[in-house]
Amino acid sequence: MRYAAIDIGSNAVRLLIADIIVRENEITFNKNTLLRVPLRLGDDAFIHHHISEGKFESMVKTMSAFRNLMDVYKVSDYMACATSAMRDADNGQDVVKACKEAGVDINIIDGSEEAQIIYNVHNHTNMDKNKVYLYIDVGGGSTEISLFANGELVASRSFNLGTIRILDNQDSPDTWDDMKLWVKSITKGYKNIYGIGSGGNINKLSRLANEKADKPISYAKLKALYVYLNSYSLKDRINVLELKQDRADVIIPASEIFLTIMKVGHLKNIMAPRIGLADGIIQTLINKNLKKEKG
């Protein structure tokens, strides 16, 4: 049995096809295929609040290709979620309609739904119920932050602060202040908070720091890596450091968001288990179909 997750973000669109593994007491999944298309819808959505004709066409073609791949892989269930860019675009529903005709039904989800889906996969990882975790998901258009204590979700919020939004100068100082105040308030009174980061940028930063996925990166190490990357021009980050073109620019504002949250939340370390929205979508499908079987 295979499920598929389509994550339509502000920087890229991803298709994750996963093999579902049924054991006696649990259902898990292994990633089979992951495809990433750097459409960068956020450039249109955050500046013009409209998906341009060119990107509209590219979206429909991408969804058509994803539909064909899902058919080839014999995917039995799928879910497609669009986040911040599609939320901000005035023609988001027109894109959804065109993509439905191409064979893919898209849900434009709000920030709280996005955080909940990410929570679904985190809830099924090896979370120590005696520890306190701050989960930070940084995307192109928004940042989702969730606090877990005693194995329970304590607080969760989405902020209109993301890498593409910052690059396009569409971030607001008030949003930065609001995020900092909120993180301070929810982390107050907790000691030894463990940071967990998700999204393509923290995964890349983790690899650049030569860390394993289960090994934390200290605040000092992340800050040093940020200073090092920022000392190179965009061109040199691509040509000398060999970062992908659509990663070389966003990695700087992503670092700034992670460092800001770590500082105000007094996080000494952050781990990058390399899971994200697409993984959460697969877990959501597992939960949904398990409920159907039991119901």
Side-chain angles (χ1 to χ4, degrees):
M1 189 163 53
R2 287 191 180 122
Y3 293 160
I6 297 173
D7 169 10
I8 301 157
S10 305
N11 190 33
V13 178
R14 297 171 185 83
L15 169 68
L16 170 63
I17 294 173
D19 297 323
I20 308 305
I21 300 157
V22 182
R23 294 191 181 96
E24 270 188 35
N25 298 319
E26 63 171 352
I27 300 173
T28 57
F29 65 91
N30 282 337
K31 296 178 186 182
N32 180 307
T33 302
L34 178 64
L35 281 173
R36 180 179 181 275
V37 183
L39 286 186
R40 197 160 279 196
L41 298 173
D43 280 338
D44 285 354
F46 305 140
I47 297 172
H48 307 295
H49 303 287
H50 189 85
I51 305 297
S52 65
E53 191 180 335
K55 291 197 177 178
F56 194 126
E57 286 178 13
S58 293
M59 255 294 285
V60 175
K61 284 177 182 175
T62 301
M63 290 305 111
S64 180
F66 283 3
R67 176 70 267 174
N68 289 334
L69 279 167
M70 288 193 291
D71 291 344
V72 169
Y73 276 89
K74 295 181 171 56
V75 166
S76 58
D77 200 2
Y78 80 95
M79 185 175 174
C81 293
T83 57
S84 193
M86 290 277 279
R87 288 198 291 263
D88 279 23
D90 59 11
N91 60 338
Q93 290 300 331
D94 296 331
V95 176
V96 168
K97 189 179 176 184
C99 290
K100 190 169 185 175
E101 288 170 7
V104 175
D105 206 350
I106 297 169
N107 304 301
I108 299 178
I109 58 172
D110 62 28
S112 61
E113 285 177 285
E114 191 174 348
Q116 180 61 47
I117 290 169
I118 294 164
Y119 164 66
N120 283 344
V121 70
H122 183 75
N123 196 34
H124 283 79
T125 57
N126 297 322
M127 185 166 58
D128 188 333
K129 293 191 176 180
N130 297 314
K131 291 180 179 177
V132 180
Y133 298 92
L134 192 68
Y135 195 104
I136 308 155
D137 181 75
V138 175
S142 64
T143 294
E144 277 65 48
I145 309 170
S146 303
L147 182 78
F148 299 88
N150 303 316
E152 298 291 331
L153 180 63
V154 175
S156 184
R157 249 187 91 179
S158 176
F159 296 89
N160 278 341
L161 201 61
T163 57
I164 304 295
R165 212 181 280 273
I166 293 168
L167 286 175
D168 291 340
N169 296 312
Q170 299 302 307
D171 57 317
S172 153
D174 289 344
T175 308
W176 279 99
D177 291 341
D178 189 22
M179 184 184 74
K180 286 189 272 190
L181 282 169
W182 188 79
V183 171
K184 272 184 187 176
S185 69
I186 62 158
T187 55
K188 193 177 178 183
Y190 291 107
K191 288 182 180 177
N192 301 322
I193 299 171
Y194 294 81
I196 298 177
S198 71
N201 289 296
I202 194 68
N203 293 344
K204 186 63 182 177
L205 287 162
S206 174
R207 289 186 183 97
L208 288 170
N210 295 317
E211 307 289 2
K212 292 179 181 176
D214 58 351
K215 191 174 178 183
I217 314 167
S218 69
Y219 175 85
K221 193 160 193 177
L222 186 59
K223 182 75 183 284
L225 185 55
Y226 163 69
V227 171
Y228 170 74
L229 290 169
N230 212 17
S231 69
Y232 286 84
S233 66
L234 174 60
K235 190 179 176 182
D236 285 345
R237 286 200 293 272
I238 296 165
N239 296 328
V240 179
L241 300 182
E242 297 181 345
L243 294 179
K244 287 181 181 175
Q245 192 169 343
D246 68 306
R247 179 69 64 209
D249 54 356
V250 292
I251 203 164
I252 299 299
S255 302
E256 290 165 357
I257 295 171
F258 280 111
L259 287 167
T260 299
I261 294 168
M262 288 181 76
K263 189 175 181 180
V264 297
H266 303 289
L267 274 63
K268 291 177 184 175
N269 302 289
I270 189 164
M271 280 200 314
R274 293 164 200 172
I275 54 174
L277 183 66
D279 303 80
I281 292 170
I282 298 291
Q283 189 60 55
T284 301
L285 288 168
I286 290 171
N287 296 348
K288 181 193 82 172
N289 290 314
L290 195 61
K291 219 174 191 178
K292 272 185 186 175
E293 283 174 23
K294 286 180 178 176

